[in-house]
Amino acid sequence: AQSVTQLGSHVSVSEGALVLLRCNYSSSVPPYLFWYVQYPNQGLQLLLKYTTGATLVKGINGFEAEFKKSETSFHLTKPSAHMSDAAEYFCAVSKGDSSYKLIFGSGTRLLVRP
Amino acid sequence: KAGVTQTPRYLIKTRGQQVTLSCSPISGHRSVSWYQQTPGQGLQFLFEYFSETQRNKGNFPGRFSGRQFSNSRSEMNVSTLELGDSALYLCASRSTDSTDTQYFGPGTRLTVL
């Protein structure tokens, strides 16, 4: 069965510092991988996705993630945190076999200190 | 293109009542999925509809049901509400390419008293 693990329910960084949010997955087949962001009282916004091809994926708002099959990881990074990045971030996986069901991690709340 | 819309945004019901939530997908998208988000269980898949047919179902009791209309709009129904059904219900519209990219609406916040 597929699963997603996000290490750290809360991550705190200073404004301007590197953001690193960790995501590991387990999947018996090559997966599709996604990062979503959720601001308070809102739905989920797609940040970026990996389906096939280049393993370094660039998304919106300066975020990027690297798919590492050998480590079953898909960590999210941003070189310089901004106050507006404070939100909850979810990593998700699907099997890519037309099941169209996303399995989500438990989420990481990013706090940005001024 | 307009995004995924969900109505209503907020609902308050009492135990034993039933509720219907509505979702309109992005124009041209034929697949709609529903997810429940709670602090304790996180984001959980409820079901997915494509061309008016349920294609996939999560591990939820039969009190949770849904349907999809010919215009791809979808409704979700929860009967005999329980306190534990209080949650944010998110609808997602799937892209028409071959990936599983799903675009989410703002959600309906259901509170059961």
Side-chain angles (χ1 to χ4, degrees):
Chain A
Q2 291 175 301
S3 66
V4 178
T5 302
Q6 291 184 240
L7 190 62
S9 59
H10 292 79
V11 169
S12 181
V13 300
S14 297
E15 191 173 20
L18 171 72
V19 175
L20 170 61
L21 305 182
R22 300 179 187 273
C23 173
N24 288 87
Y25 69 91
S26 68
S27 176
S28 58
V29 298
Y32 293 162
L33 293 157
F34 306 84
W35 275 100
Y36 286 88
V37 61
Q38 185 176 36
Y39 298 98
N41 298 315
Q42 294 188 26
L44 302 176
Q45 181 182 9
L46 180 67
L47 274 178
L48 48 80
K49 64 182 179 183
Y50 169 78
T51 54
T52 58
T55 57
L56 182 61
V57 181
K58 294 188 184 299
I60 62 172
N61 301 340
F63 284 94
E64 63 181 37
E66 187 172 9
F67 171 59
K68 292 187 176 180
K69 185 177 179 181
S70 61
E71 299 177 8
T72 61
S73 68
F74 190 57
H75 301 331
L76 181 71
T77 60
K78 181 174 180 178
S80 177
H82 191 272
M83 297 297 291
S84 61
D85 295 327
E88 189 152 21
Y89 293 79
F90 292 92
C91 180
V93 63
S94 73
K95 285 197 286 186
D97 63 351
S98 302
S99 65
Y100 308 130
K101 179 173 84 169
L102 291 176
I103 306 297
F104 285 90
S106 55
T108 297
R109 185 166 299 279
L110 177 65
L111 308 171
V112 183
R113 304 185 303 272
Chain B
K1 279 183 179 180
V4 178
T5 59
Q6 293 187 245
T7 56
R9 291 293 310 277
Y10 301 91
L11 266 178
I12 299 176
K13 293 286 187 179
T14 56
R15 279 180 297 174
Q17 288 186 310
Q18 75 164 19
V19 67
T20 300
L21 313 181
S22 180
C23 170
S24 293
I26 293 170
S27 177
H29 289 191
R30 295 163 61 190
S31 168
V32 172
S33 296
W34 289 89
Y35 293 80
Q36 182 196 63
Q37 185 179 23
T38 60
Q41 300 299 316
L43 282 152
Q44 293 184 288
F45 172 78
L46 279 157
F47 29 64
E48 188 244 349
Y49 286 87
F50 182 85
S51 293
E52 303 177 65
T53 301
Q54 186 183 91
R55 292 204 303 189
N56 209 346
K57 190 176 191 305
N59 188 26
F60 279 82
R63 299 185 297 106
F64 291 81
S65 63
R67 59 177 175 169
Q68 186 180 34
F69 302 95
S70 58
N71 62 358
S72 295
R73 189 177 70 84
S74 177
E75 288 182 346
M76 191 192 101
N77 185 274
V78 187
S79 63
T80 319
L81 284 166
E82 302 178 358
L83 295 179
D85 297 333
S86 294
L88 181 67
Y89 290 89
L90 293 163
C91 167
S93 165
R94 188 175 61 81
S95 62
T96 54
D97 61 21
S98 60
T99 72
D100 290 353
T101 307
Q102 297 186 28
Y103 299 92
F104 286 80
T108 294
R109 172 75 62 186
L110 172 65
T111 301
V112 182
L113 303 176

